[in-house]
Structure formats: C-alpha cells, structure tokens
Amino acid sequence: MGLKNTGFNSKLIHSGGIKDPLGSAVTPIYQTSTFSFKSAKHGSQCFSGESDGYIYTRIGNPTILDLERTMADLENGFGGIATSSGMGAVNTVYLTYLSSGDHVVCTEAVYGPSRGVLENVYPKFGIEASFVNTSELKAVKEAIQPNTKLIFLESPANPTMQITDVVAVSELAHKNNIPVCIDNTFASPYLQKPLDLGADIVLHSMTKFINGHADIVAGMIVTKTEEDFKKLRPMMVNLGCNMDPNQAFLTRRGLKTLSIRIDKAQENCIKVADYLESHPKVAWVKFPGLKSHPQYELAKKQMSGPGAMISFGLNGGYKAGEKMMNNVQLALLAVSLGGIETLIQHPASMTHSKLTIAGKLKAGITDDLVRLSVGIEDVEDIINDLDQALKDV
Ligand code: LCS
C-alpha cells in the first residue's frame, strides 16, 4: 500500500495512490453512486472478486479508497474502512465482534455514546458490557469473562484524559484470545500508533483532528490484519454507514496538514495547561503533558506528544464552570474537538449526559469537569480569553 518507507509527513501528503487518468494533482471527487462495467462478465467478476473494479459507492469509491489507504498507511495497518461518522465506526466494530451471549470490556471513560449504546442498545441483543478503569491492568484482568469477545479502549480517554497502557492490555487480551480495539481519536496517528503497540484494530472519529476544520463528520477503522479487515468491511457495507465521496475529499484535504496543526495546537495547549494549573481559581487540571497527570510517564512512553485536549475543574465547581463557559469570547462554547478553533464544553451535561450519574462519577466525569480543545489561534489570545472568563467566577 505504497510509500511504506517515507516519513509520516510525506505520507500525509502523498499516500492514497489513486491515479487520476487526466493527471490531476489531487484525487478528484468521484461523485457517483454507481460504476458501469465493461461487460456483463466484468460485472460478475467485480462481484466475485476476480476483478477489483468499482461497483457501487456504498461498497467502494476511488475518492474514499484514497482516504482509506492513507489512514492505513499512517496507522501502519493493513487496510482502512471509512464510515459516515465515528459512531458508524464504533458500531461496525461492536456488531462485527459481538453476538448474543457475548461480553465486552470497555474503558469506563469513553466518548458518551460509545458507552451509551453498550448500556442502552446492545443489552436487548443479549450482549453485556463491563466498564472498567483500563489504566489499571488488574481491573481489566478481573473483568475478562469466558465470553469476553472484545476489549474496547479509548486512550487518552474522553473526557478524563486517562491513559491506558496499550502494550500491557494487548498482551493480556491476546493471552485470552481477545481482540483489542482502540479509539485513537484524541491522539491521532501523529502522536500514537496503537497497532504498533499491539492493538488489533484502531478507529477514529475523523470529525476531529484528522479532518481538523470542523466542517464534516466522518469515521475510520484501520485493521492490522487482512483477516480482521475481511470481517469488518462487509459489516460496514451491509449496515450502510459508508462515507460519501465529498466527505472523503474534504477529510483527505484536511488530513494533509495534520502534523503542523497538531504541533501548533499542542504547543498552545502546553502553555494553556501551565496557565490553568497555576491559576488560583482552578482546582485541578488533567493533561498528559503535565507532571501532575497520573499516567505522565506512560503517556511519554506510548505517545510522541501530549496532544491538545485538557480537562479541568474550578474551585467553585459546576456553577463556576458554567459562568466561565458563558464568559468566553474567543473560544466557542461547543461540543466536538480537534479542530483549528478552541472549543469549551461541559461533558457531564453535554457529550456524556446520557450516562447514569453513578457511571459518570465512577468514570471520573464529575460535575465540575470542563473540557477544553485547544486550537491554533495565537496562544496569548486563548489565555487572555480564559483569563477574562475566569475573572468573576
Ligand atoms: N470517539 C471519540 C473519542 C469521540 O470523541 C467521538 C465524538 C466519537 C468517537 C464519535 O464520533 P462522531 O460520530 O461524532 O464522528 N466526540 C464528540 C465530542 O466529544 N463532542 O462532540 C462529539
């Protein structure tokens, strides 16, 4: 799958490898639902797999394939499966590996709906889940049952910024013949390559850092092996949670600048984290780049940088956080993350509001937790904005 020996930045620009017959520098948007066959025999060969020609956009499309190949290259995986959204990727993985009577071990602090569907939808199909603090290997070990068919991790976790040791959990899982899937949305392959650390499947909400411009919703699954790819791909096609070619084009375009965007956002975030940690009205800050983070050393080991997401709490609890969120002027009070603009939100009442109160508390999604996605604006402006927002809280 091309460009294996080039650096990450060259892959960002050149991976994909769809050659346009007219020589366009950028892979065009093949905005078509269907593709004509050269003959009836060719059509039947496309369906049987004897020919790799295109059939129908839900099954495959050159613009989408370009993005799938690029993401597989960046994650050092076998192949990519693009989905209409991050949740499309999450559910494709759940439905592929879990059947009635099966059990999944899931990081307790994951994106709200990734946990919410396991609590509210999958039980009606006879699938059960345990939500544990996967940063403690012992907790993962104790949660594994004879019917455990998947370990689902998110690291760094949304919104607690907990870090899971991917090497250790993967070793444990493989001893028990359980595949490991990790949601790599918060880090992106620029900062963390879970397949190299031992995971079997990696997924993304590409709505976030991968696209980076807050103008599309998209998802991606990358597998380490052909075997897992062949299990997952038909599930996505049959569910119909495929990507649209226009969405693929925009995502591929945004992806080209992933490293320079993350470098700048991360540089800003390190300064913002220092600012918040030294602010008298701030009770606590969770950011993997701070020595106070409980898994600071592990983050340094398995990630090449701490990223651009912070969670923090104010001395005045939710009331103070609410006031601060209403006071920001440069940052947007909005969910989502990983874009070029700074965003602030309150997980307990927004992104994670559907979880039970007990579940939220056990996972560390406390009422005082405010989440900040640091953008690429001038860092002085971000800090000045937070400073004025904190004045009367
Ligand atoms: N995984 C993670 C870690 C996420 O943060 C999200 C969305 C998803 C999966 C789902 O992706 P989507 O379907 O939205 O593309 N996270 C959001 C958040 O924190 N705020 O708004 C959406």
Side-chain angles (χ1 to χ4, degrees):
M1 238 171 245
L3 297 166
K4 283 279 185 230
N5 299 320
T6 56
F8 190 86
N9 290 306
S10 304
K11 288 181 180 175
L12 284 178
I13 310 300
H14 295 291
S15 272
I18 300 296
K19 291 277 174 271
D20 171 47
L22 300 181
S24 81
V26 174
T27 303
I29 309 174
Y30 286 86
Q31 193 71 47
T32 182
S33 57
T34 196
F35 296 82
S36 60
F37 305 122
K38 294 186 194 103
S39 64
K41 185 163 186 215
H42 175 230
S44 77
Q45 285 172 336
C46 287
F47 273 90
S48 70
E50 287 163 78
S51 164
D52 57 6
Y54 294 99
I55 299 172
Y56 184 64
T57 283
R58 177 161 49 76
I59 300 171
N61 174 291
T63 316
I64 301 169
L65 183 63
D66 192 69
L67 179 64
E68 291 173 330
R69 284 186 178 167
T70 304
M71 283 300 289
D73 255 3
L74 296 174
E75 289 283 10
N76 295 333
F78 169 78
I81 301 163
T83 53
S84 52
S85 69
M87 283 313 294
V90 169
N91 282 299
T92 299
V93 169
Y94 289 166
L95 287 167
T96 301
Y97 292 92
L98 302 170
S99 303
S100 177
D102 290 346
H103 170 255
V104 50
V105 176
C106 180
T107 303
E108 59 187 352
V110 287
Y111 173 54
S114 302
R115 174 170 172 162
V117 288
L118 291 177
E119 285 182 326
N120 304 319
V121 179
Y122 285 80
K124 76 177 177 194
F125 302 116
I127 292 163
E128 47 159 2
S130 299
F131 304 100
V132 299
N133 178 359
T134 50
S135 0
E136 287 172 15
L137 193 63
K138 191 165 162 277
V140 182
K141 204 171 184 172
E142 284 170 5
I144 292 175
Q145 301 176 180
N147 60 341
T148 304
K149 293 290 161 59
L150 179 68
I151 295 185
F152 188 88
L153 307 174
E154 193 176 295
S155 182
N158 182 359
T160 58
M161 306 306 299
Q162 272 307 99
I163 308 282
T164 293
D165 187 335
V166 183
V167 173
V169 172
S170 300
E171 274 174 16
L172 171 68
H174 294 156
K175 269 189 210 145
N176 292 277
N177 292 317
I178 304 167
V180 175
C181 175
I182 172 164
D183 186 330
N184 199 25
T185 299
F186 266 41
S188 92
Y190 182 51
L191 300 180
Q192 174 170 271
K193 294 196 181 53
L195 301 182
D196 291 353
L197 297 171
D200 304 283
I201 303 145
V202 56
L203 67 81
H204 287 274
S205 166
M206 296 200 294
T207 316
K208 314 298 188 280
F209 289 100
I210 299 293
N211 172 62
H213 293 75
D215 50 12
I216 52 103
V217 168
M220 179 69 70
I221 303 164
V222 177
T223 68
K224 191 175 201 156
T225 66
E226 183 173 3
E227 194 188 341
D228 280 316
F229 180 82
K230 284 185 168 163
K231 281 186 201 160
L232 284 153
R233 178 128 206 132
M235 181 59 79
M236 182 283 289
V237 170
N238 290 330
L239 284 173
C241 59
N242 58 286
M243 183 170 278
D244 175 83
N246 192 57
Q247 196 186 4
F249 175 86
L250 284 174
T251 309
R252 183 68 191 87
R253 184 170 72 167
L255 179 55
K256 289 180 186 181
T257 54
L258 179 74
S259 56
I260 55 173
R261 282 187 284 106
I262 290 190
D263 282 343
K264 175 65 180 157
Q266 182 171 256
E267 185 190 310
N268 284 354
C269 197
I270 290 166
K271 290 182 182 152
V272 170
D274 283 340
Y275 160 79
L276 286 172
E277 197 163 53
S278 62
H279 197 287
K281 290 182 182 168
V282 176
W284 58 270
V285 181
K286 270 290 255 330
F287 174 59
L290 289 174
K291 288 213 171 80
S292 56
H293 189 288
Q295 293 99 28
Y296 172 75
E297 289 302 332
L298 173 62
K300 259 203 337 202
K301 202 171 85 186
Q302 78 180 18
M303 296 170 71
S304 60
M309 297 295 300
I310 301 180
S311 61
F312 63 96
L314 301 180
N315 294 331
Y318 174 65
K319 278 278 155 236
E322 184 187 30
K323 211 162 188 191
M324 179 189 182
M325 286 185 277
N326 286 332
N327 283 348
V328 292
Q329 290 170 6
L330 181 81
L332 299 181
L333 172 52
V335 298
S336 202
L337 60 106
I340 50 180
E341 57 286 284
T342 299
L343 302 178
I344 194 164
Q345 70 114 355
H346 180 245
S349 69
M350 296 176 188
T351 47
H352 294 68
S353 57
K354 300 286 182 291
L355 306 185
T356 62
I357 292 172
K360 276 189 267 198
L361 285 180
K362 186 173 169 290
I365 307 164
T366 47
D367 223 27
D368 65 336
L369 191 158
V370 175
R371 194 189 75 183
L372 196 63
S373 172
V374 176
I376 65 168
E377 301 95 336
D378 296 298
V379 71
E380 300 76 25
D381 294 335
I382 301 171
I383 291 176
N384 286 340
D385 188 30
L386 299 176
D387 209 50
Q388 65 78 24
L390 282 165
K391 281 248 151 62
D392 67 343
V393 305

